[in-house]
Amino acid sequence: MDDRIYDCIVVGAGPAGSSAAYHLAKQGRSVLVLEAASLPRYKPCSGAVSPSVAQYFDFDFAPAIDNQRRQVRYTYQLDDPIDAALETAEPIWMVRREVFDQFLVQQAQAQGAEVKDGTPVTGIALAGDRWQVSTPSGPFTASYLVAADGAQGPMAGWLGFPSLPLRIATLLEVTTADPVADTFPMSFEFGLVKQGCLWNFPKRQGYSIGAASFVGKSAVGKAADKATADYQTALDRYCQTIGVNPAQAQTYHHALKLWDGQHPLHRERAVLVGEAAAIVDPLSAEGIRPGMISGVKAAAAIHRALSGETGALADYTAEMQTSWGADMQWAKRISGLFFRVPGIGYRVGIKRPTATQRLGQILAGEVQYADIANRVMKRLGAGLIPGR
Ligand SMILES: Cc1cc2nc3c(=O)[nH]c(=O)nc-3n(C[C@H](O)[C@H](O)[C@H](O)COP(=O)(O)OP(=O)(O)OC[C@H]3O[C@@H](n4cnc5c(N)ncnc54)[C@H](O)[C@@H]3O)c2cc1C
């Protein structure tokens, strides 16, 4: 039995949890991170990260980056290719999650955060102004809690967050015998996956090839079986085009908890961050950068709450809703239209040279979906009219 009282317990050592732990520890707060898996752990993910996230940290991310890319290739049903380049200040980082996530854990530890891996949280209870957190290695106590346990962790439910529909994604991790050429672009294929897309983000020595649908029915569990079979067919066809044998890939199926409406991200003495808070972009499935930003903002709020400021956690919800959720409403609207008619979206949207420019600006946080949504939706709407 550990009788210390931590300022904060963070449940989950993904990018969102580690970001929160890093910033809390940096402020001199005592932090315990509880992680179910053994670290370092792999998280099924294609690992594209916008370098703009670096502005929230004071360390160099270089050791955590596998390679970088600017070149993008789009295809529609494996045909009609478009090559473009992101015009961002820095290329997009391609990361291996077992490396990137562990690097962040180590940064948090270097600031003084304690980390216990192989320690799943099995229950939580608020007693007065203390959270009792149960684990198989005994209970832990803290003044505040951060739920950072990802798409399928139990914390959101325990904290009364609404149960949102989960989507399923399939990911093939391919290791190649030879290094992948630096010229191999980030690739997006539309039209092979119904109501979604397929993407391939190259690593130095392999590919992370994903497939998911973003609209329509695709819950995890039994309903996902049909979807994953369809993804596999599409992935097999795509793999042939780049000379990869899908049978030699590691295949993962993982839930995606896309943003699906504004919800309170706090309750008494607790906040939700990252995918536990359902902040994944419903158009691009970008979850790492927003997860880390939510971790940074949550840490600031808990630091203020620990200093006696009432309303600090409510401010966290409000800030996430205005700085992220408000724009995700537009991302969801565009996604709903685009992925229902990807052929039209490809013709009237993706093919425009400005599409890649805007993608880069959105990933860099320089442009919001709200700024482009009306034009995009008008174009998609006009594309639906026969003859246009
Ligand atoms: C196929 C696929 C491809 C993707 N590609 C990209 C991409 O290229 N770029 C991008 O930005 N996003 C991508 N995403 C989304 C991204 O992977 C997630 O949004 C991101 O990992 C969320 O980070 P997180 O820290 O919130 O949670 P996670 O990284 O999921 O970490 C949560 C942690 O909590 C732990 N945990 C769970 N339950 C408990 C418990 N009871 N007790 C203790 N610990 C617990 C887990 O073991 C895990 O380590 C992709 C997702 C999928 C499925």
Side-chain angles (χ1 to χ4, degrees), residues 25 42 82 84 88 92 109 122 125 129-130 134 136 140 150 158 160 167 171 179 194 213 272 302 318 333 367 371-372:
Y42 168 75
I82 301 161
T88 42
I92 298 293
Q109 283 173 311
T122 52
D129 55 2
R130 300 276 184 261
S134 308
F140 297 93
W158 292 339
R167 310 196 68 77
L171 187 77
K194 216 173 141 202
S213 70
L272 294 110
I302 290 177
R333 274 178 215 158
V367 163
D371 303 328
I372 60 164

Side-chain angles (χ1 to χ4, degrees), residues 47-57 59 61 65 67-70 86-95 100 186 286 288-289 292-293 359-360 362-366:
V49 182
S50 166
S52 67
V53 81
Q55 68 189 281
Y56 298 94
F57 299 87
F59 51 79
F61 279 81
I65 301 166
N67 69 70
Q68 305 186 30
R69 282 292 189 280
R70 263 188 205 291
L86 292 168
E87 291 172 16
T88 42
E90 254 194 83
I92 298 293
W93 299 343
M94 304 281 112
V95 307
F100 186 78
M186 287 182 273
E286 186 196 17
I288 300 171
R289 177 180 62 116
M292 291 171 74
I293 295 173
L359 173 69
I362 284 167
L363 290 174
E366 290 162 6

